[in-house]
Amino acid sequence: NPFEEYDSEDDLMDMAPKYTGAEFSKGSELHMIRTYEKFNEVVKQHADSLREMDIPTAEYCCGYWENADGFNHPFHIHTWNQEHFLGIFDVVKTKNDNLTKILCTFLYLICEIRNTTSNVAEKIYEPLIMYGEDRELQNLEQNERTAVDHISKMMKFFNETYETTKTLNSIMINLVNQFNALYNKDYPDYNILFKKFILEEAFDAMGDLLGVFVAVDIIVKQNDQLNADWALYKRMISRVRNDVNKYGINDRQMRRLERYCSKFDKTILSAQLFSRCIETKFEMTDETKRIKDNKELRSIYL
């Protein structure tokens, strides 16, 4: 009885069990085994409880991620081959840093010309050639409404063509200035690098660029229906300008339309792309050496 009272400590000591060393070791071992078994039983019960909770949760998550086509699955790893895309400076390498930079500049300009002119036949030549093929030249009064309708539908095409030719013209100016700067006796590296070094590929690309301008000019000149419709459209613009309210537009819209018509009329539809390009003032600053006076450039390319 743990609550039994004893008279003295001696009586308490007499009541204590008397164990030998061997009996004490055996009892301790049995106690440890039982404690370990109980611990394992508690752990097993806890693991079973967690497993019962995890199974429905896992099934729900798997179903959710499968509905997302698998691309957002938290355990999916997607890999792609990482390739190094070569650039201009990876391809062009020389021992002379200045020459490397110059060649890369010309290579970039040549690539721009090639990319811009690669599909001009489909984007520019064919629409201009085919314009008006579905009808013949008619009386001006009968044809005016049809002409305005067809030209209105072509305005987006004219703008895209204008932007393309504008880009080509800018590249042309850049190329000519590059030639003018390099093939110049005042350039420090002229005698070392460029006196006997001819950039034929760049010069050929310049010829392809000018060829686009010549082709567009010829196509426009030979399309009588296009020229007749454009003349009627400009006449309609003049009438609208005098009474914009009657046609449901405001002054701002009218000015914008006139700006577009003006730039188309001076370039694409006047067949003057080539002439305006070669008559451009190529010298970008007043201090730039005049191209006409560049004897070194003329001796090589002209």
Side-chain angles (χ1 to χ4, degrees):
N1 185 359
F3 299 100
E4 184 177 356
E5 295 183 359
Y6 299 97
D7 295 336
S8 65
E9 293 181 2
D10 292 338
D11 295 335
L12 182 61
M13 293 299 296
D14 292 339
M15 294 295 295
K18 303 296 189 294
Y19 291 113
T20 62
E23 292 175 340
F24 183 81
S25 298
K26 185 177 180 181
S28 298
E29 184 177 354
L30 291 173
H31 178 73
M32 292 179 63
I33 291 173
R34 291 173 182 173
T35 303
Y36 181 73
E37 289 176 349
K38 290 182 178 179
F39 177 76
N40 282 339
E41 185 178 353
V42 172
V43 172
K44 185 175 180 300
Q45 292 177 355
H46 184 67
D48 292 340
S49 300
L50 291 177
R51 193 175 296 108
E52 291 176 359
M53 296 172 58
D54 184 60
I55 289 174
T57 305
E59 291 177 353
Y60 172 78
C61 291
C62 290
Y64 172 78
W65 293 113
E66 288 177 358
N67 292 335
D69 298 329
F71 286 100
N72 295 324
H73 198 288
F75 300 106
H76 281 194
I77 300 176
H78 302 278
T79 59
W80 294 268
N81 293 328
Q82 183 65 36
E83 298 181 2
H84 174 67
F85 294 96
L86 294 177
I88 293 177
F89 285 95
D90 297 320
V91 177
V92 181
K93 290 184 179 179
T94 66
K95 295 181 180 180
N96 189 306
D97 292 339
N98 289 336
L99 180 60
T100 299
K101 293 177 181 179
I102 292 169
L103 292 178
C104 288
T105 300
F106 276 99
L107 181 58
Y108 176 81
L109 294 174
I110 292 171
C111 290
E112 283 294 303
I113 294 174
R114 297 284 187 260
N115 293 335
T116 307
T117 60
S118 60
N119 55 353
V120 290
E122 298 176 359
K123 290 181 60 177
I124 299 177
Y125 298 163
E126 291 182 4
L128 289 174
I129 293 173
M130 297 302 296
Y131 182 87
E133 288 294 321
D134 58 337
R135 57 199 173 93
E136 299 178 354
L137 286 174
Q138 304 171 0
N139 183 278
L140 289 180
E141 294 182 358
Q142 298 175 346
N143 194 44
E144 183 172 0
R145 178 173 296 182
T146 305
V148 171
D149 183 58
H150 280 72
I151 292 295
S152 298
K153 294 178 180 178
M154 292 287 288
M155 292 297 282
K156 182 179 179 181
F157 164 77
F158 291 151
N159 190 55
E160 292 175 353
T161 303
Y162 173 82
E163 293 297 331
T164 300
T165 57
K166 183 180 177 181
T167 300
L168 291 175
N169 194 69
S170 299
I171 297 174
M172 182 69 177
I173 294 174
N174 196 329
L175 270 175
V176 172
N177 277 278
Q178 295 288 346
F179 280 124
N180 189 39
L182 297 177
Y183 291 93
N184 190 333
K185 65 180 180 180
D186 297 329
Y187 178 58
D189 292 336
Y190 169 71
N191 292 323
I192 301 175
L193 297 176
F194 294 99
K195 188 174 183 178
K196 297 182 179 180
F197 186 74
I198 301 176
L199 298 169
E200 294 182 356
E201 189 68 22
F203 200 72
D204 290 341
M206 188 186 300
D208 295 337
L209 187 156
L210 293 174
V212 173
F213 293 163
V214 173
V216 173
D217 288 346
I218 292 175
I219 294 172
V220 171
K221 282 183 178 180
Q222 294 179 350
N223 194 324
D224 296 332
Q225 187 67 68
L226 176 61
N227 293 319
D229 287 356
W230 181 243
L232 292 174
Y233 190 84
K234 289 191 294 182
R235 190 169 71 174
M236 182 273 296
I237 293 294
S238 300
R239 289 202 309 269
V240 174
R241 186 189 305 113
N242 297 328
D243 191 2
V244 294
N245 295 327
K246 180 180 178 181
Y247 294 91
I249 63 174
N250 53 42
D251 292 336
R252 181 174 175 274
Q253 292 173 328
M254 188 64 208
R255 289 194 299 269
R256 184 182 180 188
L257 179 60
E258 287 180 327
R259 284 198 303 270
Y260 278 107
C261 292
S262 177
K263 66 182 183 182
F264 299 157
D265 190 55
K266 292 179 180 178
T267 54
I268 306 167
L269 298 175
S270 62
Q272 294 183 1
L273 289 175
F274 178 75
S275 61
R276 290 178 68 88
C277 178
I278 62 175
E279 293 173 1
T280 301
K281 181 182 179 182
F282 290 99
E283 293 80 8
M284 304 191 70
T285 63
D286 295 335
E287 299 177 356
T288 303
K289 183 176 181 179
R290 293 185 61 188
I291 296 174
K292 294 180 180 180
D293 300 332
N294 192 331
K295 297 180 181 179
E296 292 78 20
L297 180 61
R298 291 171 63 89
S299 64
I300 295 176
Y301 292 106
L302 302 178

